[in-house]
């Protein structure tokens, strides 16, 4: 009997016991579906975050005046904040730098009618929106004149405006009281929709006012944090390292640090891979349980078909023919269960993609892994019943009642 006939006989045997076959496959279906969904969500999350980080970076890095510390907490370098002249020195020393945007802010009381709360407003320049990947849903960003004069105008996130004003209110032109002074709303920041923004709360803030207003109100003339964008074609990773060296060379004994969002991608991928692996391993336990169930049902099948085995051997079937028949049955059972599990995994993956707003999909890697594991389960747990059936003595088998 050739392989095609063996496969046909295996399908007939499984179809003759439909309910038993379905219950046997259930553990495998759940296991494969769970593993596929977990792998798809984990890999999709990595790809979505990587794409968002690429869009967020755009040749941008952060430069901070941190000082230096040993692991024991001993200071080895002084913290020296940036002055306006330092920004000019950086631009002169590194022509690859296109824009330097100082980051400033202050705590304020924000009031609209009866709603009052304490919050943090950030100082903005003309380039702040593009540097921090801020998108406006309505209104506009600050003009250069407004920033120079320090006008009382404000850009607010859509989420905070909904909290302050309620639903369905046009916020443009409305005045919010900031520390007792009226600030006119000129722009609305679109809600964060990316996965990373949802997880981290976005890269920017909820309230922005002209930077010069904050520096005048607080008397602040130095900065501890600069956002820097390099020119097209320049490597931000290389430039950020050079920027640290330039500052520490100009001011010996001081300490500075620079980072770019992709610096954290390796750690993020490692964490996601570990979590995905652990969850997949836990879900994979049901594959082992399903394999035990398949071995059990194949043992029952061998016992029920003892006379059939004896008859086939009596008319010339070889041991390898019997072995192949039961191995193919176990393999078919596992592959059908695996295929159904892959189809059922599409449900949770679709739900997760909608919830996380990420392009999650079941890729070829996950499908190949699932089917390969299903086939392995069929071979491993089907081999003992198949060997037992092939070693039966035909005379004793024909006498079996």
């Amino acid at each position: 009997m050739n392989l095609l006939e063996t496969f046909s006989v295996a399908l007939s045997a499984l179809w003759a016991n439909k309910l038993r076959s379905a219950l046997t496959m259930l553990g495998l279906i759940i296991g494969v579906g769970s593993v596929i969904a977990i792998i798809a969500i984990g890999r999709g999350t990595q790809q979505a975050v990587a794409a968002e980080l690429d869009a967020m970076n755009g040749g941008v890095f952060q430069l901070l005046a941190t000082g230096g510390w040993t692991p024991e907490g001993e200071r080895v370098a002084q913290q020296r904040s940036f002055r306006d002249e330092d920004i000019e020195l950086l631009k002169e020393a590194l022509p690859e730098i296109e824009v330097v945007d100082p980051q400033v802010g202050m705590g304020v009381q924000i009031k609209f009618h009866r709603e009052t709360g304490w919050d943090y407003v950030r100082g903005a320049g003309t380039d702040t929106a593009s540097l921090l990947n801020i998108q406006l849903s309505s209104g506009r960003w600050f003009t250069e004149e407004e920033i120079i004069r320090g006008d009382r105008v404000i850009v607010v996130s859509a989420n905070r405006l909904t909290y302050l004003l309620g639903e369905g209110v046009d916020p443009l032109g409305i005045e919010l009281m900031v520390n007792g002074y009226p600030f006119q709303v000129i722009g609305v920041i679109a809600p964060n929709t990316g996965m990373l923004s949802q997880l981290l709360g976005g890269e920017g803030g909820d309230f922005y006012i002209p930077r010069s207003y904050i520096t005048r109100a607080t008397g602040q003339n130095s900065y501890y944090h600069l956002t820097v964008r390099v020119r097209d074609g320049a490597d931000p990773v290389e430039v950020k390292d050079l920027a640290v060296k330039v500052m520490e060379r100009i001011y010996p004994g001081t300490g500075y640090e620079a980072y770019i969002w992709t610096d954290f991608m390796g750690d993020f991928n490692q964490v996601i891979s570990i979590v995905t692996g652990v969850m997949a391993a836990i879900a994979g336990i049901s594959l082992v349980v399903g394999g035990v169930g398949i071995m059990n049902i194949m043992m029952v099948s061998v016992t029920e078909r003892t006379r059939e085995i004896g008859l086939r051997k009596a008319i010339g079937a070889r041991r390898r023919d019997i072995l192949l028949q039961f191995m193919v049955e176990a393999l078919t059972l596992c592959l059908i269960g695996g295929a159904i599990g892959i189809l059922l995994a599409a449900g949770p993956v679709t739900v997760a993609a909608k919830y996380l707003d990420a392009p999650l999909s079941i890729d070829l890697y996950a499908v190949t892994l699932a089917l390969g594991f299903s086939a392995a389960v069929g071979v491993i747990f089907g081999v003992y019943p198949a060997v037992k059936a092939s070693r039966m003595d035909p005379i004793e088998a024909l006498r079996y009642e």
Side-chain angles (χ1 to χ4, degrees):
M1 189 163 59
N2 59 36
L3 187 60
L4 187 61
E5 290 176 320
T6 304
F7 181 69
S8 177
V9 170
L11 286 177
S12 300
L14 296 177
W15 186 253
N17 298 279
K18 294 183 287 294
L19 181 60
R20 187 171 71 182
S21 299
L23 292 175
T24 302
M25 290 188 290
L26 189 59
L28 201 63
I29 291 170
I30 294 172
V32 169
S34 301
V35 171
I36 284 283
I38 289 169
I39 291 176
I41 292 171
R43 287 170 64 88
T45 300
Q46 288 176 318
Q47 294 168 2
V49 170
E52 192 171 347
L53 283 177
D54 286 340
M56 185 183 295
N57 281 328
V60 174
F61 67 89
Q62 313 298 323
L63 183 62
L64 297 91
T66 56
W69 302 84
T70 65
E72 292 76 27
E74 181 182 351
R75 182 183 286 276
V76 293
Q78 295 299 314
Q79 184 183 38
R80 182 190 180 279
S81 57
F82 302 97
R83 274 70 166 179
D84 290 330
E85 55 267 26
D86 296 329
I87 295 175
E88 296 305 319
L89 285 173
L90 273 174
K91 289 182 177 180
E92 291 176 11
L94 299 172
E96 299 90 346
I97 291 178
E98 181 181 23
V99 175
V100 179
D101 192 57
Q103 302 299 307
V104 297
M106 65 178 184
V108 296
Q109 184 187 58
I110 296 179
K111 182 178 181 181
F112 179 76
H113 294 327
R114 296 180 181 178
E115 293 292 340
T116 302
W118 288 92
D119 219 302
Y120 187 80
V121 295
R122 295 172 182 257
T126 53
D127 298 300
T128 303
S130 61
L131 287 170
L132 298 184
N133 199 31
I134 296 171
Q135 305 294 326
L136 298 183
S137 59
S138 63
R140 61 176 177 83
W141 194 249
F142 308 99
T143 65
E144 188 172 356
E145 291 75 17
E146 289 171 335
I147 291 171
I148 293 173
R149 294 192 303 260
D151 291 350
R152 292 176 188 167
V153 286
I154 188 169
V155 174
V156 190
S157 71
N159 295 331
R160 296 309 300 271
L161 281 173
T162 301
Y163 172 77
L164 288 170
L165 311 181
E167 297 283 354
V169 178
D170 182 5
L172 298 180
I174 287 178
E175 290 187 340
L176 302 179
M177 301 302 292
V178 179
N179 280 351
Y181 295 97
F183 278 70
Q184 186 181 51
V185 177
I186 61 170
V188 179
I189 302 173
N192 296 320
T193 56
M195 178 184 294
L196 187 64
S197 297
Q198 290 181 7
L199 292 176
L200 302 181
E203 187 181 1
D206 289 324
F207 299 94
Y208 289 89
I209 62 177
R211 183 188 301 124
S212 57
Y213 184 93
I214 294 180
T215 56
R216 285 205 303 265
T218 61
Q220 182 178 352
N221 59 2
S222 62
Y223 323 100
Y224 290 92
H225 179 187
L226 303 178
T227 298
V228 184
R229 181 170 63 208
V230 301
R231 299 184 187 278
D232 292 341
D235 182 5
V237 177
E238 181 181 348
V239 177
K240 76 177 177 66
D241 294 336
L242 290 173
V244 171
K245 291 178 181 177
V246 167
M247 292 302 301
E248 292 180 347
R249 184 176 300 169
I250 295 174
Y251 303 105
T254 60
Y256 297 88
E257 292 182 5
Y259 70 87
I260 193 168
W261 281 111
T262 48
D263 290 343
F264 307 109
M265 195 62 205
D267 294 335
F268 178 82
N269 281 337
Q270 185 176 9
V271 171
I272 291 294
S273 297
I274 292 173
V275 172
T276 301
V278 171
M279 293 179 67
I282 294 172
I285 294 174
S286 60
L287 289 175
V288 178
V289 174
V292 173
I294 287 172
M295 177 184 282
N296 179 56
I297 209 66
M298 292 305 298
M299 291 292 293
V300 172
S301 179
V302 168
T303 302
E304 289 179 345
R305 295 159 66 184
T306 299
R307 289 179 61 84
E308 175 192 330
I309 295 169
L311 182 60
R312 290 190 61 192
K313 281 198 165 189
I315 60 177
R318 295 164 295 183
R319 285 182 59 181
R320 68 179 185 183
D321 295 327
I322 304 299
L323 178 69
L324 183 63
Q325 178 186 349
F326 283 93
M327 284 295 295
V328 168
E329 283 189 25
L331 195 59
T332 302
L333 200 63
C334 289
L335 288 177
I336 293 174
I340 295 173
I342 292 171
L343 294 176
L344 292 181
V349 170
T350 302
V351 172
K354 185 176 181 180
Y355 177 74
L356 296 174
D357 191 24
L360 306 183
S361 61
I362 300 175
D363 57 16
L364 183 61
Y365 167 81
V367 171
T368 304
L369 182 66
L371 290 179
F373 206 97
S374 299
V377 169
V379 171
I380 293 171
F381 290 94
V383 66
Y384 178 73
V387 168
K388 180 181 177 182
S390 67
R391 290 179 176 176
M392 280 186 178
D393 181 85
I395 297 175
E396 294 296 327
L398 287 169
R399 288 177 178 172
Y400 183 79
E401 295 292 340

